[in-house]
Amino acid sequence: MDDARRSNALVCPAYQGYPRNQWYVVAFSNEVKRELLQRRVLGDLMVLYRTEDGMPVALADRCPHRGMPLSKGTLIGDAIQCGYHGFTFGATGGCVRVPSQDAIPSKMAVHKYPLVEKWQWIWAWMGDPAKADPAMIPDHHELGLGRAGYTASAIFCMEIKANYQLLHENLLDTSHIQYLHPGQLDNDNAGEATFKTEYLDDRIRIVREMPNTLLNAAMARLFKLPEGSLIDRDLVTETYPPNLSVVQNVFREPGRPNDPPKVHVIVPMAITPGGPRLTYQFTTVATSYPEQRTKQQNDHVWNVFTQDRDALEAIQQGFDELGPDAPEFSVKADQAALRCRQIITDMVRREEARG
Ligand SMILES: [Fe+2]
């Protein structure tokens, strides 16, 4: 294949690669404590903990001496003592103790991942630390996290045994809610809703318009609106490749498109590849009304998301049986998803080209 054609060729969504010179959410703040947490991110094993001063730390989870995972060791002060031969590594990743000798080899160290803790998310830079630029982290105010008048909560992290590209595409084509989540998120009207797609630099925004939607019981409960009433609904997905997808529900009085929304619910989801077939979906919600989220509400969202998880895992398994050349037949509604696929593919190829 010549270079021009290759640059336009799309990768199979079950086998998308991941750009490393990016920030990815690796944990919610409350998951990282004064104990060692192992997490697999972009194929790497990482160990996370907090220093005595409360700063989060992420190190490569492998003792350079004999390869023992450091997460199986002991946190002593701000350092990890390996559980095999007691080699000890400080919060900078440098070795601070070799029990069998006084001299510490100067090169003995583990990789330290740059971290930024913002709102209730911990973002890690997975590439060359010299290139880590916190300005690349999406603006949290824009996401509704910490925005005045909005109530924001971290809900849960779902693990999906499928490639993260499949999740981005699931969230970009919200027409699926009518068929995958019947009666739970729409009134049988999402599939045929008119939509418009916008491309803003490297972002993708798709708006599905559902005027005069009759609020069924499940939607009324979920969005705190009166059951049986009519409402104009916009269902918006904005994708920030490769690490974030934001779904918004905007409800307005019918026929009053310029009024402020009656209800606005923003669902920012950090999307992080654990590996080629593992994805984390760090789900949060920001509502335009005050709320103390209940377990019942969160369980409802969890149950809906398990339907997506099961679908994506089945799709991944199908590709794994048929291989990356298994055909897909796309229609107009897939343009946004294909654009997302292309943007991430290009990001990966640009990194590969630079070596
Ligand atoms: Fe879904």
Side-chain angles (χ1 to χ4, degrees):
M1 196 185 292
D2 63 45
D3 283 352
R5 277 189 55 210
R6 182 184 296 280
S7 69
N8 284 321
L10 287 169
V11 165
C12 168
Y15 304 105
Q16 182 64 280
Y18 18 80
R20 293 198 72 95
N21 283 322
Q22 295 284 340
W23 296 95
Y24 293 92
V25 170
V26 295
F28 284 123
S29 289
N30 64 8
E31 294 181 281
V32 180
K33 306 175 193 150
R34 289 285 298 155
E35 54 198 57
L36 302 172
L37 169 72
Q38 185 190 58
R39 185 144 284 165
R40 187 177 287 282
V41 185
L42 273 62
D44 297 3
L45 281 180
M46 176 185 281
V47 56
L48 290 146
Y49 65 96
R50 282 187 195 272
T51 64
E52 288 177 321
D53 288 346
M55 291 297 289
V57 178
L59 301 176
D61 192 18
R62 183 179 188 276
C63 179
H65 173 229
R66 286 296 177 267
M68 179 75 164
L70 290 172
S71 56
K72 293 186 183 297
T74 309
L75 183 59
I76 300 174
D78 291 347
I80 303 179
Q81 177 180 282
C82 179
Y84 199 8
H85 301 97
F87 287 46
T88 304
F89 299 87
T92 60
C95 183
V96 294
R97 183 166 177 255
V98 178
S100 59
Q101 63 184 49
D102 290 337
I104 296 168
S106 60
K107 289 199 175 127
M108 183 171 271
V110 291
H111 179 76
K112 177 185 168 77
Y113 296 90
L115 297 183
V116 172
E117 186 165 23
K118 208 164 186 182
W119 186 67
Q120 296 177 44
W121 272 339
I122 295 177
W123 293 83
W125 179 264
M126 297 304 296
D128 176 358
K131 294 185 175 148
D133 176 7
M136 288 169 67
I137 295 174
D139 178 347
H140 283 40
H141 181 263
E142 223 173 78
L143 308 180
L145 305 178
R147 191 192 289 186
Y150 282 68
T151 308
S153 327
I155 309 189
F156 51 70
C157 174
M158 180 163 280
E159 287 189 30
I160 303 166
K161 292 186 182 66
N163 189 279
Y164 75 122
Q165 181 69 47
L166 295 172
L167 179 58
H168 273 301
E169 297 187 16
N170 163 281
L171 294 165
L172 268 168
D173 190 351
T174 45
S175 69
H176 81 262
I177 64 177
Q178 184 177 343
Y179 300 97
L180 194 57
H181 318 294
Q184 295 174 75
L185 297 176
D186 75 328
N187 199 358
D188 290 341
N189 58 348
E192 286 109 53
T194 55
F195 60 90
K196 45 184 193 237
T197 309
E198 292 169 61
Y199 303 116
L200 323 149
D201 297 326
D202 263 5
R203 271 194 225 166
I204 303 149
R205 183 181 160 89
I206 182 161
V207 182
R208 288 199 150 70
E209 291 170 338
M210 288 174 263
N212 275 314
T213 294
L214 182 67
L215 283 157
N216 62 24
M219 291 170 66
R221 249 196 326 273
L222 195 60
F223 299 114
K224 304 268 168 60
L225 285 161
E227 185 183 346
S229 57
L230 286 173
I231 197 118
D232 283 358
R233 176 188 192 185
D234 281 353
L235 179 58
V236 184
T237 302
E238 199 161 331
T239 301
Y240 301 56
N243 50 17
L244 185 74
S245 184
V246 184
V247 173
Q248 300 185 55
N249 272 284
V250 187
F251 295 98
R252 288 192 174 86
E253 286 290 346
R256 304 188 65 90
N258 299 319
D259 281 8
K262 273 174 81 98
V263 163
H264 183 198
V265 176
I266 311 175
V267 183
M269 288 162 280
I271 295 178
T272 303
R277 292 177 179 77
L278 175 64
T279 300
Y280 304 101
Q281 184 178 11
F282 292 94
T283 302
T284 67
V285 65
T287 57
S288 61
Y289 47 84
E291 73 166 358
Q292 191 69 40
R293 283 192 76 81
T294 62
K295 183 175 178 313
Q296 191 190 20
Q297 275 176 304
N298 290 348
D299 286 351
H300 175 81
V301 181
W302 175 268
N303 290 336
V304 169
F305 280 24
T306 59
Q307 294 169 329
D308 296 295
R309 179 194 66 195
D310 293 351
L312 300 185
E313 291 182 352
I315 291 164
Q316 180 74 49
Q317 283 166 20
F319 275 110
D320 286 345
E321 279 182 29
L322 297 171
D325 296 326
E328 288 182 300
F329 203 116
S330 296
V331 296
K332 282 184 211 146
D334 297 311
Q335 275 172 11
L338 294 176
R339 174 73 170 231
C340 173
R341 207 183 288 185
Q342 184 74 64
I343 290 171
I344 296 179
T345 298
D346 290 347
M347 285 175 163
V348 174
R349 289 199 176 130
R350 278 200 298 271
E351 284 195 356
E352 283 170 357
R354 280 189 220 112

